[in-house]
Amino acid sequence: MSMQIETTTANSFPRAAKATRNGRKTYVYLFLGWVMLIAIGVAAAMLYTEHLRQKIATDIAQQTQQQLQIVQQDYQKQVSELKDSVSTDMKAMQTKVDALNELLAFTKDSANSKTDNSNQLYTQLADVKKKLDELQKNLDVLK
């Protein structure tokens, strides 16, 4: 009798064995679903992170380019101002050098005992004055 009871007991619960198999399959499917959801989430996070990285790199490149243009414009402005300033200073220096050269030439001519060709005007003026004095004397004599 004990055998029959066991057989009937084992045969009387076929639903329970089937439910246990279906429950295990459900857990496996749920586990696989969760794994897939986690994998999709990780992949989406990686893609979004890469997208943000590219966007930030592009923004930084644009800002750097703008700043470089501003620096280049400032540099060119400063160079042109410096060039104008140096040009103006060179012109002023050239006029001073020319004036100094004229003064040195006049001083050199005046310092010599003989007057040379570079101081012809001074020499000619002195000669004209002498001749005028002589003519004045001759005119006085004639009167």
Side-chain angles (χ1 to χ4, degrees):
M1 213 166 90
S2 71
M3 284 276 223
Q4 278 185 338
I5 295 176
E6 287 180 23
T7 30
T8 49
T9 310
N11 289 335
S12 67
F13 299 115
R15 273 180 147 177
K18 204 175 190 183
T20 305
R21 276 190 222 148
N22 287 340
R24 284 184 188 163
K25 282 185 180 179
T26 304
Y27 288 123
V28 169
Y29 288 136
L30 284 174
F31 179 73
L32 289 176
W34 277 106
V35 168
M36 286 181 63
L37 283 174
I38 290 171
I40 289 171
V42 168
M46 289 173 59
L47 288 174
Y48 184 67
T49 302
E50 182 65 22
H51 169 72
L52 285 179
R53 187 189 64 79
Q54 288 178 352
K55 184 178 177 185
I56 289 172
T58 304
D59 290 345
I60 289 173
Q62 285 178 339
Q63 289 174 359
T64 304
Q65 186 66 27
Q66 289 173 349
Q67 289 174 350
L68 282 175
Q69 287 176 350
I70 290 170
V71 168
Q72 185 178 14
Q73 288 172 352
D74 286 344
Y75 177 74
Q76 288 176 347
K77 181 181 174 185
Q78 289 175 357
V79 166
S80 65
E81 287 175 357
L82 181 63
K83 186 177 179 181
D84 293 342
S85 174
V86 167
S87 176
T88 305
D89 290 346
M90 287 299 291
K91 286 179 184 176
M93 186 66 72
Q94 185 63 39
T95 47
K96 287 180 182 179
V97 166
D98 290 342
L100 183 61
N101 280 339
E102 289 175 12
L103 182 62
L104 286 174
F106 180 74
T107 305
K108 177 184 167 190
D109 291 341
S110 297
N112 285 342
S113 61
K114 301 177 187 176
T115 57
D116 57 2
N117 292 336
S118 62
N119 197 6
Q120 289 178 355
L121 181 61
Y122 180 76
T123 306
Q124 289 174 356
L125 282 175
D127 289 341
V128 168
K129 187 173 182 183
K130 286 180 186 176
K131 287 182 182 180
L132 274 174
D133 288 340
E134 287 177 19
L135 285 174
Q136 186 69 31
K137 287 180 186 177
N138 289 338
L139 187 64
D140 287 342
V141 168
L142 287 174
K143 282 187 182 178

